[in-house]
Amino acid sequence: MKMNDLDVFRELLGGVSRRDFLKYFTIMASSMGLPLGVGAKMAEAVTNPKRPSVIWLSAQECTGCTESLLRATHPTLDHLILDLISLDYHETLSTPAGHQAEEARQKAIRDNKGKFVLVVDGSIPVKDGGVYCMIGGKPVLQIVKETAPQAGAIIAIGSCASWGGVPSADPNPTGATPVHEILKGTPVVNIPGCPASPYNFLSTVLYYLTFKKLPELDDQGRPKFAYGRLIHENCERRPHFDAGRFAVAFGDDNHRQGYCLYKLGCKGPETYNNCPSILYGDVGSGSWPVGTGHPCFGCSEKGVGFTAPLHALANIKYLTPNTFFTEAYPGKPETTSNIKALGAATAGVVIGAAGAAMLVGLGKKGNDTEEENKEG
Amino acid sequence: MSTRITIDPITRIEGHLRIECEVDGGHVTNAWSSGQMWRGIENIVKGRDAREVWLFTQRICGV
Ligand code: SF4
């Protein structure tokens, strides 16, 4: 990337230094498990004078996802939204209202046909012809169906848009439906979470802008870089779980000691997300539910959040073998009991450290494409 | 002769709001506001364990 591009950019960013700017994209790249050089490539993609158009449609939502995106305080984040991406339509943030807002949306669609990123937050009510969510007198169901075929990429942000979330909770009074079910056959990236992590969203947008394709997704349409692992795998309380130290009531001694919250109903063992490593709100360590002492309730996981009873025990997906398991070759000379005891004690520490290392290696193994590996 | 003005959506607020008003000789003579989105959270929390109702009611508005 040329120096003068960056200078122009620096102005756009309101005086953010070149170093901070590149650092930001390098962090973004590494949070996706991409090689370091990709950060510069991403920076180049967004310095393109024609800012990529983003059209944001709101359905049955609470604006929590928008709020979490706006509250992210990483130095260049607000600039990213306001100066780098062209957020051409967003009901909560747009200046025009009424028919002017509708015209702005139509124009943005026309001008950026086939190229814009369509973001949808909130579920789509289908019951009674979609009357439970109307914009400008039109059901949002119809608006989403009309807009989607013109988009370059579609992202469903938040649990509501990804799998139904709160509005779809039993008895689902309005027939709240996730975006991918409305748009069957069209690829939709799901970024679940209530609210969704702004970094998981922004990383996906940056990936698309840089490589002109979507990141690798799992069977539920979630980017693997963010949802490839269980919360339980990277939780800072995991050593307590493995050692059998649990809080059994809110405020008891064990709770105050920071013990594992499994017995209070923590759904970390069945929820795929990167909360323990990415955290929320950029306010430092511990700023995620388990970090504050509340069990994870699986807000991002279909069939868990808003579905499983809050204080019921989670289904543990993978059990860690404990030290009492019998050996295959008892008395084999190479494995002394000392080493085994040491192994058990350090296992917890290693798992804890893995959490800290997450930011650098988010579980992307051997699937980098040639493009991603090219130096930027 | 009064004219009726409809503004929908109202932007820069949380949620989907529609305002209609009747204007007569430069004065608003009547006005209606209506929320255009309903999730039925009242119905969702009916019969639930009281300890988990906050999960739902907390999410009425995320602002
Ligand atoms: S059960 Fe919850 S608190 Fe305990 S280690 Fe797993 S994710 Fe962390």
Side-chain angles (χ1 to χ4, degrees):
Chain A
M1 155 179 253
K2 282 180 261 99
M3 254 326 268
N4 48 354
D5 285 352
L6 277 165
D7 287 343
V8 173
F9 215 55
R10 215 179 131 171
E11 230 153 79
L12 271 178
L13 288 169
V16 171
S17 74
R18 175 178 192 272
R19 198 162 164 264
D20 279 351
F21 181 62
L22 281 174
K23 197 168 85 187
Y24 170 67
F25 285 101
T26 307
I27 291 173
M28 282 305 225
S30 60
S31 78
M32 287 186 272
L34 299 176
L36 285 182
V38 171
K41 203 168 171 183
M42 283 179 168
E44 204 179 321
V46 291
T47 41
N48 191 321
K50 174 82 188 81
R51 294 173 300 153
S53 171
V54 175
I55 296 177
W56 186 302
L57 294 177
S58 297
Q60 285 178 302
E61 42 78 48
C62 73
T63 315
C65 289
T66 301
E67 285 291 336
S68 87
L69 196 61
L70 293 176
R71 291 297 174 275
T73 53
H74 199 285
T76 61
L77 210 56
D78 48 345
H79 295 294
L80 185 86
I81 303 164
L82 301 174
D83 300 328
L84 309 184
I85 289 168
S86 172
L87 192 57
D88 288 328
Y89 182 85
H90 188 307
E91 220 178 294
T92 312
L93 306 176
S94 291
T95 315
H99 64 275
Q100 289 171 329
E102 286 306 290
E103 277 159 24
R105 181 168 60 86
Q106 298 292 358
K107 187 176 182 305
I109 294 173
R110 265 199 318 273
D111 293 353
N112 300 287
K113 210 172 166 208
K115 282 179 291 190
F116 66 89
V117 178
L118 172 66
V119 182
V120 183
D121 69 337
S123 52
I124 319 286
V126 297
K127 202 167 152 188
D128 302 328
V131 294
Y132 298 110
C133 186
M134 309 278 283
I135 299 170
K138 253 191 195 181
V140 81
L141 172 67
Q142 190 186 336
I143 297 177
V144 168
K145 277 187 176 166
E146 284 170 5
T147 313
Q150 333 240 26
I154 305 166
I155 299 177
I157 186 171
S159 292
C160 302
S162 299
W163 51 262
V166 170
S168 73
D170 187 52
N172 193 352
T174 58
T177 308
V179 175
H180 67 92
E181 271 180 42
I182 302 286
L183 304 173
K184 272 209 175 88
T186 316
V188 175
V189 183
N190 289 327
I191 315 278
C194 194
S197 159
Y199 294 109
N200 293 349
F201 169 72
L202 287 168
S203 302
T204 306
V205 173
L206 281 177
Y207 188 101
Y208 176 72
L209 296 179
T210 310
F211 299 117
K212 308 284 179 289
K213 62 171 189 186
L214 298 174
E216 206 195 340
L217 307 175
D218 69 6
D219 59 342
Q220 293 187 36
R222 303 176 293 193
K224 280 192 180 170
F225 69 80
Y227 299 89
R229 286 181 182 214
L230 291 167
I231 284 176
H232 191 56
E233 287 177 68
N234 292 297
C235 176
E236 65 257 29
R237 297 189 187 220
R238 178 62 184 269
H240 292 301
F241 177 90
D242 288 338
R245 292 188 293 261
F246 300 103
V248 286
F250 285 100
D252 71 0
D253 274 353
N254 293 356
H255 193 221
R256 283 160 200 251
Q257 292 288 330
Y259 287 1
C260 170
L261 304 168
Y262 174 70
K263 292 195 176 176
L264 294 175
C266 183
K267 305 293 189 292
E270 52 183 337
T271 302
Y272 290 90
N273 211 331
N274 55 1
C275 318
S277 34
I278 296 285
L279 305 174
Y280 276 93
D282 299 348
V283 287
S285 71
S287 54
W288 70 293
V290 169
T292 67
H294 195 279
C296 158
F297 71 89
C299 73
S300 61
E301 196 70 24
K302 186 182 179 183
V304 180
F306 314 112
T307 315
L310 182 59
H311 297 293
L313 291 188
N315 291 315
I316 296 180
K317 297 225 176 212
Y318 313 109
L319 279 173
T320 5
N322 70 30
T323 40
F324 305 114
F325 285 175
T326 50
E327 304 167 55
Y329 305 103
K332 206 174 172 225
E334 298 90 89
T335 347
T336 67
S337 51
N338 263 353
I339 290 177
K340 270 186 286 178
L342 189 69
T346 48
V349 180
V350 171
I351 289 161
M358 261 300 262
L359 197 66
V360 201
L362 283 170
K364 197 163 169 23
K365 283 193 203 92
N367 41 21
D368 294 344
T369 64
E370 212 178 281
E371 242 174 313
E372 287 164 5
N373 282 318
K374 263 186 234 155
E375 284 290 301
Chain B
M1 207 0 230
S2 67
T3 32
R4 193 165 174 140
I5 302 172
T6 306
I7 308 172
D8 178 11
I10 302 283
T11 53
R12 280 156 295 149
I13 54 143
E14 191 278 324
H16 303 274
L17 188 70
R18 175 188 179 100
I19 298 278
E20 288 168 80
C21 56
E22 247 169 38
V23 184
D24 197 352
H27 295 280
V28 174
T29 51
N30 211 342
W32 300 263
S33 82
S34 51
Q36 295 290 298
M37 188 270 279
W38 187 72
R39 288 164 293 176
I41 289 182
E42 306 85 340
N43 297 358
I44 289 172
V45 296
K46 232 183 245 172
R48 270 181 203 273
D49 184 333
R51 291 173 303 172
E52 61 179 52
V53 166
W54 64 266
L55 273 184
F56 299 90
T57 54
Q58 189 190 51
R59 285 166 169 80
I60 288 172
C61 177
V63 176

